[in-house]
Structure formats: C-alpha cells, structure tokens
Amino acid sequence: MPKNVLITGGTGLVGHHLTLLLISKGYHVAHLSRSPSPDSSITTYLWDIDKGYIQREALDFADYIIHLAGAGVADKKWTDSRKKVIMNSRTQSTRLLFDTISQGGYPLQRFVSASAIGYYGMDTGDKWITEESGHGTDFLADVTSRWEEEVKKFHQIDVPEVRIRIGVVLAEEGGALPKMAKPVRFGLGAPLGDGSQYVSWIHIQDLCGILAHALTSNRMENQPYNAVAPYPVTNKELTKQIGKALRKPVFLPSVPAFMLKMVLGEMSQIVLGGNRVSSEKIRHTGFDFSYPHVDQALKDLL
C-alpha cells in the first residue's frame, strides 16, 4: 500500500497536527514549502509558486498530496492587494501542481485539497447547507469556487481528487478559538453582532482525521465534503460554552455590528455572517467524529 504523503502548508496549524497524525498511522510524510522546515525530522522539498518551480524529488516521493497551502483569510484587512494574495495563493499553487504532475511520470494516487465552507457564501442564515448547495456570490465564495475548479482539473489526468470544505477550526494554540477565548478569560466575553449567526465548527483532531480518511476512502473520489461537526451552534451559544469551559461568566451585551464593521471592514462578514452546514455526507463514508458536540470539544481544548 502506498504510504508517502506530501503536504503543502505543512508547517501551519492544520499541517502540523496532520503531520503528527499521519506519522502515527505509519505514513512517511514530507512537506512542500518555500523554505526549509524548522523541524529537521520532516523532509522538506522546495517550491516557488511565483517562479513556477517545484523540486522534482517532491513529486517523485508523493503517493498522495494533501494541499493545505494558502494565505490566511483573517490575517489582514481585505485591501484589493490582500484579496489578490488570498486568491492567487490558492489558485496558482493548485495550478502549478497540476501543470507539473500532468507532464507525467509521477506516482500520484490521489490529490486531497483543502477548501472552505465559505464556498456557500459568508451568510446563509439558519437553513441547512449541504455539498449540493450552490456557491455564493461574495469574495470568499468566489475564492473557493475558483480554487475548486483548479482542483477538479486532476480528473483530466485520471488522478482522483477530494475537496474538503473546512469550517471554523477549533484548536488550542491557533485559529479562531484563542481569539474568542481571550476576552472571556478576562471577563469581557460577549456575542458578536446579534449572536444568532450559526458557526459550523470542527475540532482540529476531527479535521485531521477527515483528511487522513480522504487518502484511502474509495467512496470519496472526485467530490466535495464538508468538514464540520454534526451540531453547529450560534455565535451566542459558542461564546457561552467557552465561558462554561473556562468557568467564566459571559454577561456583557453583544458587540454591535457597526463596531465590527468599523474595525474589520469587509472582513467583518466572516464573524457577522453564519452558515449552518451539514456533515451528513462525510459521516456516510464511515467517518466517526470524536467531538460531535461543542461542549466536548471545548472541554478538551480549554
């Protein structure tokens, strides 16, 4: 059975956890990066997306590729130049991988790519969203739609692909949770906007489990899958559960939407909008969640 996995974005939050999980399962893992890995135990191959370069040995090594690379969506304000970086870091990197692999002679068995539930639009209200729901019309929907179109090109060279639409990742040391928990720790926790917007979240361990599952599940070829826990919660409920996990009261009034718009600009749609996304399809492939409920996940992480 092929065992070599090449991860792009391997030093990021998800990539780090995924690397450890795959190694524990007996896989040989290497990273594809712009610079050598600070972790000397992980083989790192180099690429330069702007120059269209990938170290050949990386693709000679890879039985599977898990493509996580992409500029952080919430790292900086969405100026026109930042939007271009967010878009290009996803579409151009995927295109470079496809163009290089399509030249032939590589042992690739499957291409697993991150995507995001932003595909459906940043605010779809309280209706349930499935993989068959259409994509939205806002910026993140445009990014993820174009990203996935690049991934689907792997059909042309008979390499099965899987698109994993990731929700809000809950992890102890990065992502959204530390930012949400910080004001709660100081007794300043409050819902954002009116707090009724749904948050489709996932524990980092379950997300990595889904990515590992996608490597070998024949039921997951050439399709998208939502990587979200089975039970989304509202922003208000999530804030309340963070307070409960930290044993801190959450009693302040909600942060008004206009204040968030003043501070974050267009990016405020990420926290003011919401999605109630279904995980039924991934569960039907045989994947079992370790943390289906948010109180379990927060107890583990906080």
Side-chain angles (χ1 to χ4, degrees), residues 172-190:
E172 181 180 6
E173 72 279 31
L177 184 57
K179 297 173 185 175
M180 296 186 71
K182 187 174 181 179
V184 177
R185 290 183 192 276
F186 291 100
L188 301 173

Side-chain angles (χ1 to χ4, degrees), residues 221-241:
E221 293 184 358
N222 303 328
Q223 296 182 62
Y225 288 86
N226 295 329
V228 294
Y231 303 105
V233 293
T234 63
N235 177 269
K236 184 175 182 179
E237 179 63 18
L238 179 57
T239 307
K240 177 183 173 182
Q241 289 295 337

Side-chain angles (χ1 to χ4, degrees), residues 2 10 28 68 112 119 149 154 171 174 195 199 206 212 256 265 298:
H28 306 295
L68 304 176
V112 178
Y119 178 91
E149 287 304 311
F154 281 86
V199 180
D206 280 330
L298 294 173

Side-chain angles (χ1 to χ4, degrees), residues 152-196:
K152 287 191 282 187
K153 289 180 180 179
F154 281 86
H155 299 183
Q156 301 171 16
I157 54 174
D158 296 322
V159 173
E161 54 80 15
V162 187
R163 285 153 276 145
I164 304 298
R165 294 175 180 166
I166 302 172
V168 176
V169 181
L170 300 185
E172 181 180 6
E173 72 279 31
L177 184 57
K179 297 173 185 175
M180 296 186 71
K182 187 174 181 179
V184 177
R185 290 183 192 276
F186 291 100
L188 301 173
L192 304 178
D194 64 12
S196 66

Side-chain angles (χ1 to χ4, degrees), residues 7-16 19 31-33 35-39 44:
I7 303 176
T8 75
T11 58
L13 175 67
V14 176
H16 171 71
T19 296
H31 293 167
L32 188 61
S33 177
S35 57
S37 173
D39 184 349
T44 303

Side-chain angles (χ1 to χ4, degrees), residues 38-282:
D39 184 349
S40 59
S41 67
I42 303 297
T43 299
T44 303
Y45 299 106
L46 301 181
W47 67 340
D48 188 317
I49 297 166
D50 293 334
K51 294 181 180 179
Y53 168 76
I54 298 179
Q55 188 175 344
R56 181 181 176 88
E57 290 83 356
L59 301 180
D60 287 335
F61 164 84
D63 297 314
Y64 306 107
I65 292 177
I66 300 181
H67 182 34
L68 304 176
V73 168
D75 289 353
K76 298 178 182 178
K77 265 193 168 184
W78 287 355
T79 61
D80 288 344
S81 60
R82 182 60 183 174
K83 283 183 172 181
K84 188 175 180 180
V85 169
I86 290 170
M87 175 72 79
N88 290 347
S89 66
R90 288 160 171 79
T91 57
Q92 290 185 2
S93 61
T94 310
R95 193 176 306 141
L96 174 59
L97 287 163
F98 170 78
D99 287 346
T100 308
I101 292 166
S102 64
Q103 295 172 14
Y106 298 109
L108 190 64
Q109 303 293 306
R110 184 168 298 199
F111 187 84
V112 178
S113 179
S115 182
I117 61 171
Y119 178 91
Y120 307 112
M122 284 182 275
D123 189 8
T124 53
D126 60 0
K127 64 180 180 180
W128 281 103
I129 299 296
T130 72
E131 288 82 354
E132 283 65 50
S133 301
H135 66 79
T137 57
D138 54 42
F139 169 61
L140 286 187
D142 188 36
V143 169
T144 49
S145 176
R146 294 192 189 188
W147 189 7
E148 290 193 11
E149 287 304 311
E150 295 295 333
V151 176
K152 287 191 282 187
K153 289 180 180 179
F154 281 86
H155 299 183
Q156 301 171 16
I157 54 174
D158 296 322
V159 173
E161 54 80 15
V162 187
R163 285 153 276 145
I164 304 298
R165 294 175 180 166
I166 302 172
V168 176
V169 181
L170 300 185
E172 181 180 6
E173 72 279 31
L177 184 57
K179 297 173 185 175
M180 296 186 71
K182 187 174 181 179
V184 177
R185 290 183 192 276
F186 291 100
L188 301 173
L192 304 178
D194 64 12
S196 66
Q197 64 273 34
Y198 271 90
V199 180
S200 291
W201 60 275
I202 186 167
H203 190 294
I204 184 75
Q205 181 178 314
D206 280 330
L207 171 56
C208 291
I210 288 173
L211 290 165
H213 182 58
L215 293 179
T216 56
S217 173
N218 291 331
R219 299 172 68 180
M220 294 180 67
E221 293 184 358
N222 303 328
Q223 296 182 62
Y225 288 86
N226 295 329
V228 294
Y231 303 105
V233 293
T234 63
N235 177 269
K236 184 175 182 179
E237 179 63 18
L238 179 57
T239 307
K240 177 183 173 182
Q241 289 295 337
I242 290 172
K244 185 176 179 181
L246 294 172
R247 298 178 183 176
K248 295 285 186 178
V250 176
F251 59 88
L252 293 178
S254 299
V255 180
F258 78 87
M259 289 182 61
L260 292 165
K261 290 176 182 177
M262 287 175 58
V263 174
L264 299 174
E266 185 182 355
M267 195 168 67
S268 64
Q269 296 175 53
I270 296 176
V271 293
L272 292 174
N275 307 91
R276 195 182 189 192
V277 179
S278 169
S279 64
E280 185 175 359
K281 187 176 177 182
I282 189 68

